[in-house]
Amino acid sequence: MKKKENRLMSECHSWKLLKENYRKVSQLHLSQLFSGDPQRGKRMTIEDSGVYFDYSKHRVTDETIQLLLQLAEESGLHDSIDAMFRGEKINITENRAALHIALRTPKGKSIVVDGKNVIPKVHNVLDRMADFSNQVRSGQWRGYTGKPMRNVINIGIGGSDLGPVMAYEALRYYSQRNLNFRFISNIDGTDFAEAIYDLDPEETLFIISSKSFTTQETMTNAWTAREWVLHQLKDKNAIARHFVAISTNVAKVKEFGILPENMFEFWDWVGGRYSLDSAIGLSTMIAIGSEKYRAMLDGFHQMDEHFLTTPFSRNIPVIMGLLGVWYNNFFEAQTVAVLPYEQYLKRFPAYLQQLTMESNGKHVTINGKEVPYQTGPIYWGEPGTNGQHSFYQLIHQGTKLVPCDFIAFMESLNPLGHHHDLLIANVFAQAEALAFGKTQQEAREEGIPENLIPHRVFEGNRPSSMLILDKLTPAVLGKLIALYEHIVFTQGVIWKIDSFDQWGVELGKVLAARIAPEFDSKIISTLQHDSSTNNLIRRYRRSKGLSSNG
Ligand code: G6Q
């Protein structure tokens, strides 16, 4: 028998059974499933670690769930989870551990990578970050001319940006309001120009966040920031007071002029999109303070423990991950909508796009073979009620199946009149409308004219998850992020792909590096691209007043 870890999803016995189950279940309407089981809405829920998860409005029967759980077993999910938590090099193509869970493991525990316990160094960096954050927050950290910092700008991109931006926005309520936080990521000069537009370099601290410290966008922005500061302060010694770095690359950081004591380290076993709770979270820590930051890490850790220790049938990330597989591979849904009913989570869908799509957007297995099934779906979304007045139309009445993750909080951080009741009424109503719709008969009974009935019918049977949390605190944010990290992991294991590499971003980078010099010289030798790219290059050269021959 083939070792179960190497077995493709489509070779599992449960896969065949799920196919049969799909044939039956796809014919059922959620209305039937609910009317046949009055307890469904209570029974198909899990409450653990402060998260209430209702999966009753999914197009599944008990048999489906049993078979999906069997699929998880047959895929070797238990062993894979253990391997990740043990620090094994599960990122096969880069020969690295994927050990973000170590970043939130409490002091005193041990996780060994390459013969060394990494937990003490995690806490050492956290302590240094706390000390630095306290200095900035208290005004003790002074700029070159003796002024306290009023502006903190994170320069980074991808994993070194999306986490910090999302977390700052999510936890803005807890942030120190006399500090301004901005984020520069894009190579488009507009990003830089607008971020510094009204700022004084004397009061501005730059955090250069880059694991490699070689990323083109980040380094270009970092050097522009350096020039901006030096233009006013005129002395290279100013750099030490206005720049700190977060990186794994000590040599490059030194070369830039940042002192080693102003560098906060992380490690190759932290993937970019899993790095928010490494030193990459420094801007978040400065914003909310070290205690709240540690509370966020505790939240992450609680979800890690839930994932590691809870039986799969009560394990929220496992069940969510399996439901994702169900829609992706049986219903052939192409996308998942993430719909937080919480304004502070406005950047959460963008953050999840990288986490999910960079992790599971793969077309070969860990062994390099073409996968014979679909892998990661497209994630997208917006905060709740705004979406209702734009794209929800397609989710309700379009021809595509879009499973939705609704995220709601029982308590508002900004209670104002009836706002929160209305917000929650909306999220519950959307899930209800999607599931049960409105029949022709109901439309007729409402007196809708016959010619409009087809337009006014909602077929329903559109699935959604409902995640309910108490209120958005740093700990709750940690839980929510870890929840999605583990959903991604669960799915990656089932699809047998490497969720921790990202080779797909390489080619574009290489080609951009080849094209950029072709805009520079007065005369170019013959362009060697395809005819479209050659013409685009010539056109841009003309717009710069350069010769367009070549
Ligand atoms: C994330 C990716 C990618 C990375 C950026 C920035 O998982 O690896 O988004 O975070 O390319 O890389 P640096 O931090 O090295 O600048």
Side-chain angles (χ1 to χ4, degrees), residues 164-182:
V165 179
M166 181 278 289
Y168 170 67
E169 290 297 343
L171 301 176
R172 181 191 273 256
Y173 177 83
Y174 303 94
S175 67
Q176 185 164 313
R177 300 292 179 139
N178 67 350
L179 290 172
N180 261 316
F181 289 85
R182 299 202 181 160

Side-chain angles (χ1 to χ4, degrees), residues 465-505:
S465 290
M466 181 71 69
L467 288 168
I468 304 269
L469 303 112
D470 281 348
K471 73 174 178 187
L472 182 54
T473 60
V476 165
L477 180 70
K479 287 177 200 176
L480 205 51
I481 299 168
L483 168 63
Y484 277 91
E485 287 176 349
H486 300 322
I487 292 171
V488 166
F489 181 79
T490 297
Q491 297 179 336
V493 168
I494 290 174
W495 290 324
K496 289 284 166 290
I497 53 181
D498 188 336
S499 299
F500 299 104
D501 62 12
Q502 57 284 313
W503 298 107
V505 301

Side-chain angles (χ1 to χ4, degrees), residues 79-92:
D79 291 349
S80 300
I81 295 174
D82 289 345
M84 172 166 74
F85 278 73
R86 269 200 308 270
E88 278 180 28
K89 299 196 172 170
I90 57 170
N91 177 356
I92 305 284

